[in-house]
Amino acid sequence: MPIDTTHDAAQRIAGSTDYNDHVFSLDSNGDPYGYQVSNAIVHIDDTTVDTNGDEIGYNLYLDAQTMVTDGSLVMGTIASKELYFATDGTIRAKFTTDGYFDLLSSKLKLNGNSGAANQVMKSDGYGNLSWTDLPNQQQAFGNIVVTGEDTIQADTTGDTLNLVAGSGISLSTDGGSDTLTISASGGGAAQAFKNIIAGGSTMIADSNEDTLTLVAGSNVTITSDSTTDTITIAASTSGDVNQSAFTQVASTNQNTIQANAESDTLTIDSDDESSLDTRYKADRDQIDIITDSSTKTVKVNSKVPKTLSMVGKAPVVTKLGENSGVPLRNKFFNVATSDAVSGSGGYVGVSTRSLPLLQSSGSVVDILMPAKSDNSTLQLTYLDSSGTEDIIDMEVAE
């Protein structure tokens, strides 16, 4: 029959403080102590409703033997506690806090079947479990592997491996002693090389008694002595026997010069490029090459004057995307002075650097640059493609 319980805030259902309502705490009669409902089904209704006011909760029904719900049934703990299962007042299994299922009774049946002695549990791969007998224990190799060859694999428990005698090999077996004898039927092993490698090619013996022939090439003689089993290879040359020499002369971004004969000649020449800048003397930036056959030396004399070098360049990127640069030129001005000046007069020449600019008319003008505020270098002001003015510090080296 149903039970109606009415209580207010001052009243509540309470268990025994002596036994803490634990199901395995026994009262004075030896019975588990707890809340008792006689001849009734306890109905717990979850009255949760959705946004439309419709009830979406679930119902749980309990009696002395059965627990039923119209939703998913979950039993567990939310604290770090174990979950136990018990029969006959004895705990039989539990879930540990780290997720293990511990079968404390050490007993298991599959559909009421506990299996026979020494059987094991087997799955068919679809979740179906059954008891099965262990296969006979066999100490054997399931695979026979030979490098570069197919792997021989046992297909059944009692599969057979067949050994076949190849050329020059004989096999014999003794079933009584479980012995397999492998013998060479082609005579004793020969102490010889089968492959000879020369000049990048491999010569392979085609038969057991094949012959290797050595042929003397140009300027080479071969002699043999059958008594001492000796082969002598000698070279006959008309010049130096060994020469350490370069057959090629290479320079960065230039064609490689290669010798075309045993006694080819390399010529080293100089070029006068004084026409590059007509403001300087003809012998400026000139290199003289002097050879001395008695000492077998080549001297390279440079006539670059010991003045300010023109290593400074304005950075330029060509239309091919390569980093290049326009060399700066020396520019001289007369400045009045009261000191003595060569050739009389009251002016002395003062040097700076300029950037040569080719105009559309074909004439070249020199662009002068002011000194940086700290007098460390010159500065070039320019407009970039966006119209923004920028300044470059020109690295002018001594």
Side-chain angles (χ1 to χ4, degrees):
M1 65 179 181
I3 294 178
D4 295 329
T5 302
T6 302
H7 63 277
D8 55 26
Q11 297 176 335
R12 59 190 179 89
I13 299 175
S16 170
T17 57
D18 296 332
Y19 304 110
N20 298 321
D21 305 325
H22 196 287
V23 70
F24 290 115
S25 296
L26 304 180
D27 59 17
S28 59
N29 297 322
D31 298 323
Y33 191 93
Y35 303 121
Q36 295 183 7
V37 178
S38 300
N39 194 22
I41 297 176
V42 177
H43 176 194
I44 301 174
D45 184 5
D46 179 3
T47 59
T48 304
V49 296
D50 59 15
T51 56
N52 297 323
D54 297 327
E55 185 173 339
I56 60 174
Y58 298 100
N59 297 280
L60 179 67
Y61 304 89
L62 300 172
D63 62 15
Q65 291 183 312
T66 306
M67 180 169 56
V68 177
T69 179
D70 56 2
S72 298
L73 181 61
V74 177
M75 290 189 299
T77 63
I78 60 174
S80 181
K81 303 294 184 181
E82 297 171 323
L83 179 61
Y84 294 89
F85 297 90
T87 61
D88 197 20
T90 303
I91 298 176
R92 305 297 189 182
K94 68 177 178 180
F95 281 102
T96 63
T97 57
D98 51 0
Y100 285 99
F101 179 69
D102 190 351
L103 193 59
L104 301 177
S105 65
S106 300
K107 295 180 180 180
L108 177 65
K109 286 187 177 182
L110 298 177
N111 196 23
N113 183 5
S114 60
N118 298 322
Q119 283 189 320
V120 295
M121 188 169 57
K122 179 183 71 173
S123 171
D124 62 356
Y126 297 96
N128 299 310
L129 302 176
S130 62
W131 299 109
T132 184
D133 293 331
L134 284 170
N136 294 331
Q137 297 296 322
Q138 297 184 9
Q139 303 297 330
F141 295 105
N143 297 321
I144 305 296
V145 179
V146 177
T147 303
E149 300 293 334
D150 294 337
T151 298
I152 302 173
Q153 188 174 30
D155 301 313
T156 61
T157 302
D159 204 2
T160 301
L161 174 67
N162 295 316
L163 301 178
V164 178
S167 176
I169 298 295
S170 62
L171 303 176
S172 60
T173 61
D174 187 333
S177 59
D178 297 332
T179 303
L180 168 65
T181 302
I182 303 175
S183 303
S185 59
Q191 302 294 328
F193 294 105
K194 180 180 180 180
N195 299 328
I196 304 295
I197 300 176
S201 299
T202 301
M203 292 168 283
I204 304 175
D206 301 313
S207 62
N208 292 335
E209 297 180 357
D210 203 2
T211 300
L212 173 66
T213 302
L214 302 179
V215 178
S218 177
N219 297 324
V220 174
T221 58
I222 299 176
T223 58
S224 61
D225 188 332
S226 58
T227 303
T228 60
D229 296 333
T230 303
I231 297 176
T232 302
I233 302 175
S236 58
T237 59
S238 56
D240 295 336
V241 176
N242 293 307
Q243 299 185 25
S244 296
F246 297 104
T247 60
Q248 296 180 350
V249 178
S251 178
T252 303
N253 298 326
Q254 299 295 321
N255 294 329
T256 299
I257 302 173
Q258 185 170 356
N260 297 321
E262 292 180 0
S263 59
D264 207 357
T265 300
L266 173 65
T267 301
I268 301 175
D269 200 358
S270 62
D271 192 11
D272 184 7
E273 292 291 346
S274 60
S275 61
L276 289 177
D277 194 334
T278 57
R279 296 181 302 173
Y280 302 110
K281 290 185 177 182
D283 63 348
R284 180 180 174 141
D285 298 332
Q286 180 177 322
I287 295 177
D288 292 339
I289 300 176
I290 304 172
T291 61
D292 189 335
S293 59
S294 61
T295 59
K296 298 181 180 180
T297 58
V298 177
K299 294 182 179 180
V300 179
N301 293 336
S302 174
K303 292 186 177 180
V304 178
K306 294 181 180 180
T307 59
L308 291 176
S309 62
M310 297 183 292
V311 297
K313 292 185 178 181
V316 174
V317 178
T318 68
K319 63 180 181 180
L320 298 178
E322 298 176 353
N323 290 325
S324 182
V326 177
L328 302 181
R329 303 167 63 172
N330 285 334
K331 188 77 173 182
F332 298 93
F333 297 92
N334 283 325
V335 176
T337 179
S338 59
D339 293 335
V341 180
S342 173
S344 71
Y347 296 91
V348 62
V350 178
S351 173
T352 185
R353 298 295 176 88
S354 66
L355 181 66
L357 180 65
L358 177 63
Q359 301 182 103
S360 58
S361 62
S363 61
V364 177
V365 295
D366 290 332
I367 305 298
L368 300 179
M369 293 165 287
K372 195 174 180 179
S373 59
D374 61 0
N375 298 322
S376 62
T377 184
L378 299 176
Q379 290 187 316
L380 175 66
T381 302
Y382 71 96
L383 293 178
D384 61 20
S385 59
S386 65
T388 303
E389 185 176 275
D390 201 355
I391 297 176
I392 299 177
D393 289 342
M394 306 301 295
E395 296 296 336
V396 182
E398 288 290 338

